[in-house]
Amino acid sequence: MRNAVIFLLQVLFLIAIFSASNFIVKYTNLFIPGNVLGMILLFVSLTLGIVKLNYIEKAAEYLIKHLALFFIPYAVGIMTYGDLIKTSGWKLLVMIVGSTIIGLIITSGMTQYLSSKEKQKHVQSDSQ
Amino acid sequence: MFSLTLSNIIITILIYFGARLLYKHVSNPFTTPVLLATIVIIIILIIADINYEQYAPAKDWITYFLGPGTVALAVPMYKNRVVIKENAVQVLGSLTVGSIATIASAVYISKLLNLSEMIQATSAVKAVTIPVALEVVTLIGGDPSLAAVLVITAGIFGAAFGPLCLTLCKIHDPISRGLGMGTVSHGIGTSQAVVEGKLQGAVSSVAMGAAAILTSIVLPLIYNIFN
């Protein structure tokens, strides 16, 4: 029972940060969405020690574990685009698949290449 | 009306947990929970003759948690801050190049396939998180509701097939994998990167946020160069 209450309070704490961020975005016309601002604010608060990890950790881990669930209803919305899918669905799919693979391989490939070079440099400087 | 909403919420949650359970035993791209659950729920709604408008109240309840869920991504970011800081140069460089490559290739492929200018513009935002995509798309002459479909499809494709593509390309480093997933497949990619590992999830969250910020600033400025 006690754990359930703590868990709920933690969820409410995250909701409070999200709502506050939405409020800030709305009244300052900031170019980033409320959820991303909330993520940044929470990260900064954790780093500065304003928020302690144990205030939110349980709820945060649970919400992240099931993040996919919260996207599913949006994905179900694709069912309303039957006509578009019939007329140009395959073209859109080719574009999405092609561009996603290109972006993914370039981003991840470049990171791995750069960090392996970095490691080599370390190895060389260690051996000198 | 309320009971329909409640049953839609329960169906969505049950199908999701079912898909998750199946994925634990049979993990391949087609059993990725977000892909499989979406397909099953669409089929159920069609069979039960429930349209998307009737499903909308259930959608609003469930998707509300995306807000606090995204905020919560700060926790893995914080726990992995040392590793991310050590790799800050690679992370930022690759993320910028990767985001531009994603945008340019999407617009270019749309052009090659003779898709309309409106669709070309909309394709440019397909890699970023939904709220940002919807804001930016109108600035460059695209359509918000099409943007939502493209963003979701890019997210699901990346979540389901991204890890396989990376493995085929011999990219095994967790930081590199997480970074790619978050850059091209935003929150949906991140939800799958989290399953792969905590570090992947943390880096993917950073990539998702940074790609969103980068796109919202840069895309309206550079869109005319590509076109």
Side-chain angles (χ1 to χ4, degrees), chain B residues 22-105:
Chain B
L22 181 70
Y23 187 74
K24 270 190 190 144
H25 297 284
V26 195
S27 36
N28 71 53
F30 297 98
T31 56
T32 308
V34 63
L35 173 63
L36 187 63
T38 301
I39 294 170
V40 173
I41 292 166
I42 291 178
I43 293 170
I44 290 175
L45 292 181
I46 291 172
I47 291 172
D49 202 22
I50 299 168
N51 63 37
Y52 193 60
E53 266 163 42
Q54 291 167 305
Y55 181 75
K59 178 202 78 175
D60 293 340
W61 273 99
I62 298 171
T63 56
Y64 178 76
F65 288 93
L66 271 182
T70 310
V71 172
L73 288 170
V75 171
M77 272 166 65
Y78 175 72
K79 283 185 179 168
N80 293 282
R81 65 194 180 284
V82 178
V83 189
I84 294 168
K85 208 175 155 192
E86 274 173 2
N87 294 279
V89 178
Q90 293 96 302
V91 165
L92 282 178
S94 310
L95 191 133
T96 309
V97 174
S99 289
I100 294 172
T102 311
I103 293 168
S105 61

Side-chain angles (χ1 to χ4, degrees), chain A residues 69 73, chain B residues 1-17 41 45 50 54-63 65:
Chain A
L69 166 65
Chain B
M1 190 62 212
F2 180 73
S3 65
L4 178 66
T5 301
L6 191 65
S7 68
N8 283 339
I9 292 175
I10 293 170
I11 287 169
T12 307
I13 293 174
L14 284 181
I15 300 290
Y16 162 75
F17 277 100
I41 292 166
L45 292 181
I50 299 168
Q54 291 167 305
Y55 181 75
K59 178 202 78 175
D60 293 340
W61 273 99
I62 298 171
T63 56
F65 288 93

Side-chain angles (χ1 to χ4, degrees), chain B:
Chain B
M1 190 62 212
F2 180 73
S3 65
L4 178 66
T5 301
L6 191 65
S7 68
N8 283 339
I9 292 175
I10 293 170
I11 287 169
T12 307
I13 293 174
L14 284 181
I15 300 290
Y16 162 75
F17 277 100
R20 230 181 110 85
L21 199 67
L22 181 70
Y23 187 74
K24 270 190 190 144
H25 297 284
V26 195
S27 36
N28 71 53
F30 297 98
T31 56
T32 308
V34 63
L35 173 63
L36 187 63
T38 301
I39 294 170
V40 173
I41 292 166
I42 291 178
I43 293 170
I44 290 175
L45 292 181
I46 291 172
I47 291 172
D49 202 22
I50 299 168
N51 63 37
Y52 193 60
E53 266 163 42
Q54 291 167 305
Y55 181 75
K59 178 202 78 175
D60 293 340
W61 273 99
I62 298 171
T63 56
Y64 178 76
F65 288 93
L66 271 182
T70 310
V71 172
L73 288 170
V75 171
M77 272 166 65
Y78 175 72
K79 283 185 179 168
N80 293 282
R81 65 194 180 284
V82 178
V83 189
I84 294 168
K85 208 175 155 192
E86 274 173 2
N87 294 279
V89 178
Q90 293 96 302
V91 165
L92 282 178
S94 310
L95 191 133
T96 309
V97 174
S99 289
I100 294 172
T102 311
I103 293 168
S105 61
V107 176
Y108 190 69
I109 295 172
S110 303
K111 233 183 206 165
L112 275 184
L113 295 172
N114 280 321
L115 289 163
S116 72
E117 273 189 23
M118 184 275 281
I119 295 180
Q120 290 175 28
T122 311
S123 75
V125 302
K126 69 149 193 3
V128 295
T129 183
I130 289 179
V132 175
L134 299 186
E135 286 291 319
V136 178
V137 75
T138 49
L139 298 178
I140 58 172
D143 173 58
S145 60
L146 177 64
V149 176
L150 299 187
V151 169
I152 290 287
T153 314
I156 293 180
F157 174 77
F161 296 92
L164 179 69
C165 293
L166 290 169
T167 307
L168 287 177
C169 292
K170 297 196 170 61
I171 298 168
H172 299 293
D173 167 48
I175 294 180
S176 309
R177 290 175 72 94
L179 196 70
M181 296 286 284
T183 306
V184 299
S185 291
H186 52 92
I188 304 183
T190 303
S191 72
Q192 189 60 25
V194 171
V195 176
E196 207 175 284
K198 289 212 162 121
L199 181 56
Q200 285 92 322
V203 180
S204 188
S205 327
V206 174
M208 177 194 86
I213 294 168
L214 186 81
T215 305
S216 60
I217 301 171
V218 175
L219 186 59
L221 298 174
I222 60 165
Y223 186 70
N224 294 326
I225 301 172
F226 292 124
N227 233 358

